Amino acid sequence: MNHLFECSEKVKQLISKGVTIPNPLSIDIGEEVNTDQISGNGVKIYTGCRIYGKKTVISAGAQLGYEGSVTIDDCQLGPNVELKGGYFKKSVFLEKANMGLGAQVREGCILEEEASGAHCVGLKQTILFPFVTLGSLINFCDCFMAGGTSRKNHSEVGSSYIHFNFTPDGDKTTASLFGDVARGVMLNQPPIFLGGQGGAVGPLRIGYGNVVAAGTIIRKDILKDNVMVFGKFPRKNTEIEFVPNSYPALSRIIENNIIYLANLKALEQWYIHVRRPYFIGEKYGELLFSGVINNLLSAKSERINRLKVMSEKMPESLKRSAKDERLTSGKKEFYENISLLSEIVDEEFEDNEIEEYRERFLESFSIHKKNTKADYIETVQAMHSNISKQGIIWLNKIIDKLCSQMAGVLPSLDLFKNRQFTGR
């Protein structure tokens, strides 16, 4: 007990609440941390951990630092989350999410229920739906991934996988969708498998049920579901001229960024109208909900800011590629109208048709919820296909409208002319 009086006041408060701290003198807790937002029920903080941030929340049963020291800064941890070693900042971890030793999870991440990563995983602006599993030695920044129905049937990223999210021109307009929000939230889609020692060059879109062979680098969208993808290893080096800031595939880059933004908007609506009641029912639930919404806002802001940075390069790009009249006009429109794209994303969402689809789904879901009387995961998994189809239509209507509005700002690029907005 003598050691207790040598500890910081914050550590004393946690111990008095019932938090298990085997080596209290090794723990550093920032003065800004609100210990009222840390549960005393089953929480264990191992040697060498650091806890910072006034928005930090640690729910019942959370475990920090079992494999190595952990630093968390303004993170919100749901019940029974395990962060075994590493650095975690401005991210949300819902029930039973876990990360292994050497993780670096930076701002803007949301790991939903039972999403996990093994050792040495790097994430930033990443959203993982329930059960998604990442192997070891992975960089998976600027990604959304869904798919799978349980811990035994889940989307998985093999070890030593890289999502290439930084271009030679210095752009990060490279966010990729592995799955989609509208179908993914229903927790009934086949899993996606990305084989180890492979990679994806963002921005990409990948369908559900797809299996990508180990060692494969994906460089184009795979919109079909349930296909196997093999990459060809080049037999010899290929040399072609590199023209900086030329952007010959500008339409595709903008299309995929718009679709990503639209999916974020749909996910935000799902949380507001479907998931929020489940948060209200648990301790610190409102704080967890607020953390998720703030991170979705952060994700939208990140994507728009990256588009703005790229748009600023269009005047220079026009000097390098004046032959294609359509592309030239598109670059001008993109440069001149980027603020309009931002306004569309930030607008409050009002649409009578979409509201009708939403209310139709919510009415059916409410009846199902009363009959099921289970937690969020079990309730969604038990939905009849007719109800989930209603929800998919509602969310896809949101995605379609936002894509259509944003495409209308850039008519010269013929966005979505031969491509679908959503993954139906």
Side-chain angles (χ1 to χ4, degrees):
M1 289 297 294
N2 290 336
H3 284 171
L4 179 61
F5 295 101
E6 300 174 21
C7 297
S8 72
E9 188 61 35
K10 298 286 184 179
V11 174
K12 293 179 188 178
Q13 291 172 11
L14 294 184
I15 293 174
S16 67
K17 290 180 70 172
V19 176
T20 300
I21 305 178
N23 191 351
L25 291 177
S26 72
I27 307 300
D28 184 22
I29 300 179
E31 287 300 316
E32 75 284 359
V33 173
N34 182 354
T35 56
D36 289 337
Q37 294 173 184
I38 300 176
S39 174
N41 182 14
V43 172
K44 191 166 186 177
I45 303 174
Y46 291 91
T47 301
C49 290
R50 307 169 186 88
I51 301 173
Y52 306 130
K54 64 181 180 180
K55 294 182 180 180
T56 287
V57 175
I58 302 176
S59 299
Q63 308 281 303
L64 302 181
Y66 181 74
E67 296 179 350
S69 65
V70 161
T71 298
I72 61 172
D73 187 353
D74 270 335
C75 290
Q76 295 80 46
L77 279 55
N80 301 308
V81 167
E82 291 188 55
L83 305 181
K84 298 173 183 176
Y87 175 76
F88 308 89
K89 182 177 182 179
K90 294 183 178 179
S91 291
V92 182
F93 303 83
L94 299 185
E95 187 171 5
K96 293 184 180 179
N98 69 88
M99 296 294 293
L101 179 66
Q104 186 187 60
V105 180
R106 292 175 288 167
E107 58 269 20
C109 294
I110 302 170
L111 276 70
E112 293 194 344
E113 289 84 351
E114 298 191 61
S116 66
H119 71 273
C120 297
V121 172
L123 307 177
K124 182 181 180 184
Q125 296 291 340
T126 301
I127 300 173
L128 303 180
F129 268 17
F131 317 121
V132 172
T133 299
L134 309 181
S136 302
L137 305 171
I138 286 173
N139 187 312
F140 208 60
C141 300
D142 297 303
C143 293
F144 164 92
M145 192 171 199
T149 59
S150 69
R151 285 300 307 150
K152 294 182 178 180
N153 179 49
H154 54 78
S155 289
E156 182 160 352
V157 180
S159 295
S160 301
Y161 199 89
I162 298 176
H163 178 245
F164 297 100
N165 66 331
F166 194 80
T167 74
D169 289 320
D171 298 316
K172 292 191 75 175
T173 51
T174 48
S176 293
L177 286 168
F178 298 91
D180 60 76
V181 166
R183 293 182 293 168
V185 295
M186 303 306 165
L187 305 180
N188 61 2
Q189 295 299 306
I192 298 167
F193 181 82
L194 305 179
Q197 292 197 339
V201 182
L204 286 172
R205 293 199 294 150
I206 306 296
Y208 286 110
N210 290 343
V211 175
V212 181
T216 300
I217 305 295
I218 310 171
R219 300 180 185 274
K220 64 179 182 179
D221 299 335
I222 305 170
L223 301 182
K224 290 182 179 180
D225 293 339
N226 302 306
V227 298
M228 182 169 283
V229 182
F230 295 90
K232 293 183 178 179
F233 190 82
R235 295 183 178 180
K236 60 181 180 179
N237 292 333
T238 301
E239 296 180 7
I240 60 174
E241 182 183 8
F242 172 66
V243 181
N245 297 323
S246 58
Y247 298 106
L250 183 65
S251 292
R252 178 182 172 276
I253 293 171
I254 294 177
E255 281 179 358
N256 279 359
N257 274 268
I258 288 174
I259 293 172
Y260 197 95
L261 280 162
N263 273 264
L264 292 175
K265 192 77 169 183
L267 182 55
E268 179 184 52
Q269 292 298 300
W270 178 262
Y271 266 94
I272 290 171
H273 295 288
V274 178
R275 292 217 61 175
R276 186 170 190 175
Y278 290 93
F279 285 100
I280 293 173
E282 62 182 65
K283 190 173 184 180
Y284 307 135
E286 282 285 11
L287 295 173
L288 290 169
F289 174 79
S290 178
V292 169
I293 295 300
N294 286 338
N295 276 13
L296 288 173
L297 293 174
S298 169
K300 289 189 290 183
S301 177
E302 172 74 6
R303 302 277 60 91
I304 283 293
N305 288 338
R306 296 300 181 178
L307 284 170
K308 285 180 178 177
V309 170
M310 189 172 74
S311 73
E312 292 168 359
K313 299 178 182 179
M314 292 303 108
E316 177 64 25
S317 181
L318 285 166
K319 299 176 183 178
R320 300 175 182 274
S321 57
K323 296 180 180 180
D324 188 331
E325 184 176 339
R326 181 186 63 83
L327 187 55
T328 297
S329 298
K331 289 178 179 180
K332 289 179 180 178
E333 287 175 353
F334 179 44
Y335 175 70
E336 293 170 356
N337 296 320
I338 184 63
S339 60
L340 292 178
L341 295 178
S342 179
E343 289 174 10
I344 291 171
V345 173
D346 291 337
E347 283 178 356
E348 289 295 326
F349 211 82
E350 294 182 4
D351 184 284
N352 291 335
E353 181 187 18
I354 292 175
E355 288 179 5
E356 289 179 10
Y357 280 105
R358 182 189 73 206
E359 293 308 311
R360 193 179 305 164
F361 166 72
L362 291 178
E363 182 179 356
S364 298
F365 183 77
S366 178
I367 295 171
H368 165 71
K369 179 180 174 182
K370 289 179 181 178
N371 293 333
T372 307
K373 295 181 180 180
D375 64 16
Y376 167 75
I377 295 290
E378 291 174 346
T379 300
V380 172
Q381 289 175 326
M383 273 197 301
H384 190 277
S385 60
N386 289 339
I387 301 176
S388 62
K389 286 177 182 176
Q390 290 177 347
I392 291 171
I393 292 172
W394 161 46
L395 296 174
N396 273 335
K397 288 288 183 182
I398 294 172
I399 294 168
D400 287 349
K401 179 173 181 180
L402 199 63
C403 287
S404 179
Q405 286 180 323
M406 297 180 81
V409 175
L410 307 170
S412 297
L413 289 176
D414 286 333
L415 299 178
F416 309 111
K417 185 176 182 180
N418 299 311
R419 292 157 59 85
Q420 57 195 33
F421 299 159
T422 49
R424 291 169 294 189

